[in-house]
Amino acid sequence: MYCNACGKATAEDGRFCAYCGNVVGISPTPKKLMRSRADRKIAGLCAGLAEYFDLDISLVRILCFFIALATGVCPGVVTYLLAWIIIPAEPELRPVLAAQQPVTS
Ligand SMILES: [Zn+2]
């Protein structure tokens, strides 16, 4: 087994890396399929899928386009609309700059 953080070999039954202390074996943050807010074109579905499956976003968009083209409105577009409803959007990242600025009076 290898550490995801430093790449060094770790003990097979160990939960932490002996070199950097990183948790090994289990993913520290489980992946969750969510619609992307940052890279969205329509609903952020393609960006979310690309992120989830670790694929190139353009490749996912091209695939989605051709799947929709090949299958037509149903099920292609209907599936997209359903996924839009079912898959949650990733949490909104609010800018914190305004709160951190010192109050001048
Ligand atoms: Zn490590």
Side-chain angles (χ1 to χ4, degrees), residues 44-93:
L45 269 175
C46 290
L49 282 171
E51 207 172 288
Y52 187 79
F53 292 108
D54 221 0
L55 293 167
D56 187 78
I57 184 166
S58 303
L59 183 77
V60 176
R61 287 211 173 101
I62 290 165
L63 275 173
C64 286
F65 176 76
F66 279 109
I67 289 169
L69 205 69
T71 59
V73 172
C74 192
V77 176
V78 172
T79 306
Y80 189 91
L81 291 174
L82 276 176
W84 190 342
I85 295 163
I86 294 165
I87 299 169
E90 62 181 16
E92 207 168 339
L93 297 170

Side-chain angles (χ1 to χ4, degrees), residues 7-32:
K8 291 191 171 108
T10 58
E12 215 51 53
D13 56 344
R15 285 203 58 232
F16 300 96
C17 173
Y19 299 96
C20 68
N22 196 49
V23 179
V24 288
I26 54 158
S27 178
T29 48
K31 270 186 180 182
K32 203 173 171 202

